[in-house]
Amino acid sequence: MNAFSSHVPAGADGRAAVRERLLTERGETDARISALLGDFDGIVEANALVAVDDEHDPEGSSTAFERAHVASLLAQARSHLGEVDRALERLRRGDYGRCEGCGEPIPPGRLEVRPAATTCVSCAAGAPH
Protein backbone atom coordinates (compact mmCIF):
# COMPACT_ATOMS: atom_id res chain seq x y z
CA MET A 1 0.00 0.00 0.00
CA ASN A 2 1.25 3.48 -0.86
CA ALA A 3 2.11 5.40 2.31
CA PHE A 4 0.16 8.35 0.94
CA SER A 5 -3.02 6.48 -0.01
CA SER A 6 -5.27 7.31 2.94
CA HIS A 7 -3.82 10.32 4.67
CA VAL A 8 -2.18 12.55 2.05
CA PRO A 9 -3.89 13.69 -1.15
CA ALA A 10 -3.05 11.21 -3.90
CA GLY A 11 -0.30 11.65 -6.44
CA ALA A 12 2.50 14.08 -6.96
CA ASP A 13 0.07 17.01 -6.79
CA GLY A 14 -1.10 15.93 -3.33
CA ARG A 15 2.45 15.55 -2.05
CA ALA A 16 3.36 18.92 -3.58
CA ALA A 17 0.40 20.56 -1.81
CA VAL A 18 1.45 19.08 1.54
CA ARG A 19 5.04 20.12 0.94
CA GLU A 20 3.93 23.66 0.07
CA ARG A 21 1.83 23.82 3.23
CA LEU A 22 4.76 22.65 5.37
CA LEU A 23 7.12 25.12 3.68
CA THR A 24 4.64 27.92 4.35
CA GLU A 25 4.42 26.85 7.99
CA ARG A 26 8.22 26.77 8.11
CA GLY A 27 8.49 30.27 6.64
CA GLU A 28 5.94 31.66 9.12
CA THR A 29 7.76 30.02 12.02
CA ASP A 30 11.11 31.32 10.82
CA ALA A 31 9.63 34.84 10.60
CA ARG A 32 8.24 34.46 14.15
CA ILE A 33 11.71 33.45 15.37
CA SER A 34 13.25 36.51 13.72
CA ALA A 35 10.65 38.80 15.29
CA LEU A 36 11.14 37.24 18.73
CA LEU A 37 14.91 37.59 18.43
CA GLY A 38 14.37 41.27 17.67
CA ASP A 39 12.09 41.61 20.70
CA PHE A 40 14.60 39.83 22.92
CA ASP A 41 17.48 41.97 21.67
CA GLY A 42 15.37 45.09 22.26
CA ILE A 43 14.71 44.11 25.86
CA VAL A 44 18.39 43.40 26.45
CA GLU A 45 19.44 46.69 24.82
CA ALA A 46 16.90 48.70 26.80
CA ASN A 47 18.18 47.19 30.03
CA ALA A 48 21.79 47.87 29.09
CA LEU A 49 21.03 51.59 28.99
CA VAL A 50 20.00 51.72 32.62
CA ALA A 51 21.56 50.31 35.75
CA VAL A 52 19.03 47.61 36.58
CA ASP A 53 19.02 46.07 40.02
CA ASP A 54 16.28 43.42 39.71
CA GLU A 55 16.13 42.98 43.46
CA HIS A 56 15.48 46.64 44.34
CA ASP A 57 14.19 48.24 41.13
CA PRO A 58 10.37 48.01 40.83
CA GLU A 59 10.73 47.69 37.05
CA GLY A 60 13.40 44.99 37.33
CA SER A 61 11.02 42.12 37.95
CA SER A 62 8.77 43.02 35.02
CA THR A 63 11.81 43.35 32.77
CA ALA A 64 13.04 39.94 33.88
CA PHE A 65 9.56 38.52 33.26
CA GLU A 66 9.45 40.02 29.74
CA ARG A 67 12.86 38.60 28.94
CA ALA A 68 11.89 35.15 30.25
CA HIS A 69 8.55 35.26 28.43
CA VAL A 70 10.15 36.12 25.07
CA ALA A 71 12.83 33.48 25.65
CA SER A 72 10.11 30.89 26.27
CA LEU A 73 8.22 31.88 23.10
CA LEU A 74 11.48 31.71 21.18
CA ALA A 75 12.18 28.19 22.48
CA GLN A 76 8.66 27.10 21.48
CA ALA A 77 9.07 28.55 17.98
CA ARG A 78 12.45 26.84 17.53
CA SER A 79 10.94 23.55 18.68
CA HIS A 80 8.08 23.95 16.20
CA LEU A 81 10.57 24.68 13.42
CA GLY A 82 12.25 21.37 14.20
CA GLU A 83 8.86 19.60 14.11
CA VAL A 84 8.12 21.07 10.68
CA ASP A 85 11.57 20.07 9.40
CA ARG A 86 10.98 16.51 10.62
CA ALA A 87 7.56 16.51 8.90
CA LEU A 88 9.22 17.56 5.64
CA GLU A 89 11.69 14.69 6.06
CA ARG A 90 8.81 12.22 6.68
CA LEU A 91 7.13 13.53 3.53
CA ARG A 92 10.36 13.02 1.58
CA ARG A 93 10.68 9.44 2.89
CA GLY A 94 7.04 8.68 2.15
CA ASP A 95 5.78 8.09 5.69
CA TYR A 96 4.20 11.48 6.38
CA GLY A 97 0.73 11.21 7.87
CA ARG A 98 1.21 7.85 9.56
CA CYS A 99 1.01 7.73 13.36
CA GLU A 100 4.34 7.00 15.02
CA GLY A 101 2.48 5.40 17.92
CA CYS A 102 0.15 2.89 16.30
CA GLY A 103 1.09 3.05 12.62
CA GLU A 104 -2.42 4.01 11.52
CA PRO A 105 -3.11 7.01 9.27
CA ILE A 106 -3.42 10.35 11.01
CA PRO A 107 -6.84 11.82 10.13
CA PRO A 108 -6.67 14.54 7.46
CA GLY A 109 -8.45 17.01 9.78
CA ARG A 110 -5.68 16.65 12.36
CA LEU A 111 -3.02 17.17 9.70
CA GLU A 112 -4.92 20.23 8.49
CA VAL A 113 -4.78 21.77 11.98
CA ARG A 114 -1.32 20.40 12.89
CA PRO A 115 0.59 19.67 9.68
CA ALA A 116 3.64 18.50 11.67
CA ALA A 117 1.61 16.05 13.81
CA THR A 118 3.31 12.70 14.39
CA THR A 119 0.47 10.90 16.16
CA CYS A 120 -3.22 10.24 15.68
CA VAL A 121 -5.67 11.78 18.14
CA SER A 122 -5.96 8.55 20.17
CA CYS A 123 -2.21 8.15 20.61
CA ALA A 124 -1.77 11.85 21.38
CA ALA A 125 -4.39 11.51 24.13
CA GLY A 126 -2.81 8.30 25.40
CA ALA A 127 -6.02 6.38 24.74
CA PRO A 128 -5.94 2.71 23.80
CA HIS A 129 -7.03 1.81 20.25
Side-chain angles (χ1 to χ4, degrees):
M1 175 172 105
N2 181 339
F4 291 103
S5 63
S6 60
H7 41 286
V8 175
D13 288 344
R15 288 187 295 276
V18 170
R19 185 174 189 280
E20 186 61 36
R21 176 131 198 262
L22 288 167
L23 289 174
T24 298
E25 181 92 8
R26 190 182 196 293
E28 291 169 356
T29 303
D30 200 37
R32 187 167 48 251
I33 289 170
S34 293
L36 288 166
L37 283 170
D39 291 348
F40 189 84
D41 289 346
I43 293 168
V44 170
E45 286 176 25
N47 286 332
L49 298 175
V50 293
V52 176
D53 177 359
D54 283 0
E55 187 175 335
H56 299 102
D57 182 0
E59 294 296 316
S61 60
S62 63
T63 301
F65 173 79
E66 284 180 51
R67 191 173 50 237
H69 180 71
V70 171
S72 175
L73 292 173
L74 187 56
Q76 289 173 1
R78 286 177 171 154
S79 176
H80 183 67
L81 187 64
E83 291 170 1
V84 172
D85 285 344
R86 288 186 294 278
L88 283 163
E89 176 59 24
R90 288 191 305 278
L91 183 65
R92 187 193 65 72
R93 284 192 321 250
D95 58 359
Y96 175 84
R98 187 154 299 281
C99 179
E100 290 180 350
C102 66
E104 294 297 315
I106 298 172
R110 178 161 170 78
L111 291 173
E112 183 67 29
V113 173
R114 295 191 47 140
T118 59
T119 57
C120 66
V121 175
S122 295
C123 286
H129 285 270

